Amino acid sequence: MLELKNISFAVPEKEIVRSVSFKAEKGKLLVITGPNGGGKSTLAKIIMGIEKPQTGKILLDGCDITPLSVTERARAGVGFAFQSPVRFKGLRVQDLLRLAAGKPLAAEEACVYLSEVGLCANSYIGREVNASLSGGELKRIEIAMLLARGTKLSIFDEPEAGIDLWSFGHLIACFKKIRARRDGTVIIISHQERILEIADKIVVIADGKLTDEGTKNEIMPKLLHGCMETCELLKGN
């Protein structure tokens, strides 16, 4: 389980995250949503250790990981998937999966992870991770890497960014599979309705503050109502 206690983060002349506290239960899929520029991606980077909070604590399974570096958090079981996955020229997909697993990985085992994310193993196992792969393919390979690592906590920062609708459909299927496994905590930063619909819990961040949290059934009607009100105001203008 992940627990954030009074997390705050600021840069000169701007407070980006303001005393945010919430819990992400083990085996659950939590989506952090809210307006653009509200502090969602910064919060994800704080959880991973890319940014350091000025105040507050981050607990993973009861252990304080606040002082740990990115590398130390990765060793503790935290995984992070960026909006734009990195391309590794000269490395094959199988090489990446072996690195993620941290041990020798037979081709058959690597293929299992690729199949989990809806990729034809025979077609991808020997592919080089370069410009020949689409954004959607890279993101699914990145998810396969997190599965190979067996992370306690997997964080996805706006996974829908830069991919087409076809790839987005496959991405949703991947998250549904991960959610069904129930063997780790998943946090997704997103404002896409189809991702919100598969959440166990939704946390709303706006202007750096936690403004609401609850189940999908509790939060979705409020979000949709807010969108309708915004549309009406725009029509009026």
Side-chain angles (χ1 to χ4, degrees):
M1 181 182 76
L2 176 77
E3 183 175 4
L4 271 61
K5 292 185 174 182
N6 302 314
I7 295 295
S8 295
F9 176 81
V11 295
E13 300 181 2
K14 186 175 182 181
E15 193 174 17
I16 299 175
V17 178
R18 308 181 185 193
S19 194
V20 170
S21 300
F22 64 82
K23 294 179 181 180
E25 302 288 342
K26 183 178 180 181
K28 301 292 185 180
L29 191 155
L30 180 145
V31 176
I32 301 175
T33 193
N36 289 333
K40 303 185 301 296
S41 291
T42 299
L43 191 59
K45 291 175 182 176
I46 289 170
I47 296 170
M48 187 65 233
I50 298 169
E51 300 286 2
K52 294 291 185 183
Q54 273 84 37
T55 65
K57 286 186 177 183
I58 303 169
L59 305 177
L60 182 64
D61 292 340
C63 297
D64 186 359
I65 64 170
T66 316
L68 300 186
S69 67
V70 173
T71 302
E72 290 169 329
R73 293 188 199 198
R75 288 173 181 159
V78 183
F80 190 94
F82 291 90
Q83 287 186 30
S84 300
V86 180
R87 299 177 189 270
F88 299 91
K89 189 175 180 181
L91 279 179
R92 299 172 304 152
V93 171
Q94 185 174 357
D95 298 327
L96 282 183
L97 292 174
R98 284 173 175 167
L99 288 170
K103 61 181 181 180
L105 198 66
E108 292 78 11
E109 293 177 275
C111 286
V112 169
Y113 295 119
L114 291 174
S115 297
E116 281 282 306
V117 298
L119 293 175
C120 177
N122 290 334
S123 299
Y124 285 90
I125 196 72
R127 289 274 297 274
E128 188 175 330
V129 187
N130 56 23
S132 69
L133 292 169
S134 71
E137 288 170 327
L138 280 171
K139 289 191 176 182
R140 280 190 273 169
I141 289 167
E142 194 169 39
I143 294 172
M145 290 173 64
L146 292 180
L147 292 175
R149 277 191 56 202
T151 50
K152 290 182 181 179
L153 171 66
S154 301
I155 308 163
F156 299 89
D157 187 12
E158 297 193 22
E160 69 275 8
I163 64 172
D164 56 48
L165 287 174
W166 178 259
S167 296
F168 183 59
H170 283 293
L171 202 63
I172 292 292
C174 289
F175 289 132
K176 284 182 177 178
K177 283 185 179 180
I178 293 172
R179 183 178 179 272
R181 289 166 65 115
R182 299 289 187 185
D183 55 358
T185 304
V186 178
I187 294 178
I188 304 176
I189 312 297
S190 180
H191 47 72
Q192 285 290 334
E193 186 175 344
R194 287 177 65 188
I195 290 180
L196 292 169
E197 285 175 348
I198 63 172
D200 293 301
K201 180 179 179 180
I202 297 174
V203 167
V204 183
I205 302 291
D207 195 26
K209 297 178 289 186
L210 190 154
T211 59
D212 208 350
E213 65 178 312
T215 66
K216 172 186 66 179
N217 292 335
E218 291 169 336
I219 303 299
M220 286 288 285
K222 299 178 187 178
L223 294 176
L224 293 173
H225 180 68
C227 288
M228 289 174 66
E229 286 187 337
T230 301
C231 289
E232 289 300 319
L233 286 171
L234 291 173
K235 286 178 183 178
N237 293 331

